[in-house]
Amino acid sequence: MDLFSRRHGLTRPDAEIHIRNDAPQEVRDAVVQIAYTCGQKPSDLRALLCGILFRTPDRSNWSEFPNIDSEVRDLIEDCEWFEVYDFIEKISEQCRYGNHDFAEEINRFFRVAGVGWQLVDNHVEMRGSEIFEVAVRQGQKKLRQQGRTTAANELHEALNDLSRRPDAETTGAIQHAMAALECLARDVAGSKDTLGQLVRRSPGLFPPPVDQIVEKAWGYTSNYGRHLVEGQPPQFEEAELVVGLSGVLCRYLSRKPPSIK
């Protein structure tokens, strides 16, 4: 149904992200309800959940409502938080050849509910602030359009590492993010220097004082992305910051002509 709000392009503002490594009751209930709205039956969802939990469907339950629906509610309650997002991916895959509104609806719910995930191409991926999304994902898209696939792939891997469940691979995210920036900076400057060397030897690459920020970020990556200290892995927020910074800087460099000296 083409509702009033959609016809006029009206949406609720995105809530601040406060749900990441969790799937509270409101998320579990919404997933089931959205799946029903998009054409899934309780028996469809029961089959998916039983597969995730290695359970056998209750053969005494025949009617979709209320019996199998009640079983679905019990099964999703037994899921670990990350299994709920596995469930979302399986529903999305099942909807691929049917109703295509599931991803749109689940992502709309995530934004309104402050869930730090999003469904992209049947995969649940980490979602950041609007600025983060524009900087990193649009930056990645721009690089691919320019044929700079190595840098684009490194940004993609950084996002994958942030999206890992149940625990993000923060070290890998930092490494891939700065590798993307270094790769692009080398291409723009026409040099094989490291990013730290490029900042010092190519003053036109980044405007001051941004060049100092880049150099310090490179040093941070050396400490926390490559030379690790036992028991001191980077925090998620730190990795997210580095990935976001890399995305912004990659977008900036992608607009520069090659061989900046």
Side-chain angles (χ1 to χ4, degrees), residues 14 118 127-143 155 159 243-244 246-252 254-255:
D14 291 0
Q118 60 187 332
R127 179 175 72 87
S129 65
E130 183 176 359
I131 294 175
F132 178 94
E133 291 297 313
V134 170
V136 180
R137 297 187 189 277
Q138 292 300 318
Q140 180 188 356
K141 181 179 178 181
K142 181 71 171 179
L143 292 175
L155 270 183
L159 288 170
V243 175
S246 174
V248 170
L249 294 172
C250 282
R251 288 192 75 202
Y252 171 78
S254 69
R255 298 186 176 112

Side-chain angles (χ1 to χ4, degrees), residues 20-22 80-83 85-86 117 124 126 157-173 233-237 239:
R20 183 88 64 185
N21 293 349
D22 194 10
E80 297 287 346
W81 73 264
F82 49 88
E83 292 173 329
Y85 297 99
D86 292 344
W117 300 96
V124 174
M126 172 262 185
E157 288 303 318
L159 288 170
N160 280 347
D161 284 338
L162 287 180
S163 301
R164 295 191 188 282
R165 305 188 298 269
D167 299 310
E169 179 53 58
T170 54
T171 299
Q235 297 298 306
F236 179 89
E237 292 76 13

Side-chain angles (χ1 to χ4, degrees), residues 2-256:
D2 188 14
L3 298 177
F4 172 85
S5 58
R6 294 190 183 182
R7 293 198 306 273
H8 294 277
L10 302 173
T11 60
R12 287 175 176 266
D14 291 0
E16 182 178 351
I17 292 173
H18 65 279
I19 300 173
R20 183 88 64 185
N21 293 349
D22 194 10
Q25 191 65 49
E26 61 178 306
V27 172
R28 296 169 194 250
D29 290 343
V31 170
V32 173
Q33 191 56 49
I34 291 171
Y36 287 164
T37 301
C38 292
Q40 297 294 296
K41 297 181 297 185
S43 55
D44 298 327
L45 302 188
R46 179 177 66 173
L48 297 178
L49 285 167
C50 284
I52 291 171
L53 295 171
F54 300 100
R55 302 278 182 84
T56 300
D58 188 341
R59 293 184 177 86
S60 65
N61 285 336
W62 291 90
S63 61
E64 296 285 349
F65 293 97
N67 291 356
I68 300 179
D69 170 66
S70 178
E71 187 178 350
V72 166
R73 307 286 178 172
D74 290 340
L75 287 168
I76 199 170
E77 285 298 316
D78 289 343
C79 287
E80 297 287 346
W81 73 264
F82 49 88
E83 292 173 329
V84 173
Y85 297 99
D86 292 344
F87 181 43
I88 291 171
E89 290 184 342
K90 287 183 175 294
I91 296 172
S92 179
E93 180 67 25
Q94 189 158 280
C95 289
R96 173 179 290 185
Y97 303 107
N99 193 301
H100 296 282
D101 293 334
F102 180 74
E104 179 182 349
E105 289 301 307
I106 203 73
N107 285 335
R108 193 158 66 93
F109 165 72
F110 283 166
R111 292 192 297 271
V112 171
V115 178
W117 300 96
Q118 60 187 332
L119 185 59
V120 180
D121 296 329
N122 300 319
H123 289 87
V124 174
E125 299 181 353
M126 172 262 185
R127 179 175 72 87
S129 65
E130 183 176 359
I131 294 175
F132 178 94
E133 291 297 313
V134 170
V136 180
R137 297 187 189 277
Q138 292 300 318
Q140 180 188 356
K141 181 179 178 181
K142 181 71 171 179
L143 292 175
R144 291 200 186 281
Q145 290 172 344
Q146 294 178 340
R148 287 163 159 161
T149 56
T150 301
N153 288 340
E154 289 294 336
L155 270 183
H156 178 71
E157 288 303 318
L159 288 170
N160 280 347
D161 284 338
L162 287 180
S163 301
R164 295 191 188 282
R165 305 188 298 269
D167 299 310
E169 179 53 58
T170 54
T171 299
I174 290 173
Q175 290 173 339
H176 285 299
M178 295 309 291
L181 183 58
E182 181 180 60
C183 176
L184 181 56
R186 284 174 169 174
D187 185 52
V188 172
S191 171
K192 294 184 179 181
D193 287 343
T194 67
L195 182 59
Q197 293 170 334
L198 283 170
V199 171
R200 294 188 292 272
R201 297 174 183 176
S202 303
L205 198 59
F206 299 101
V210 175
D211 54 349
Q212 298 177 32
I213 296 174
V214 175
E215 188 168 11
K216 291 183 183 301
W218 176 250
Y220 172 87
T221 303
S222 296
N223 291 332
Y224 291 94
R226 292 190 292 272
H227 308 307
L228 302 181
V229 177
E230 183 63 40
Q232 297 182 22
Q235 297 298 306
F236 179 89
E237 292 76 13
E238 296 169 350
E240 183 182 24
L241 175 62
V242 173
V243 175
L245 178 63
S246 174
V248 170
L249 294 172
C250 282
R251 288 192 75 202
Y252 171 78
L253 285 181
S254 69
R255 298 186 176 112
K256 278 182 169 288

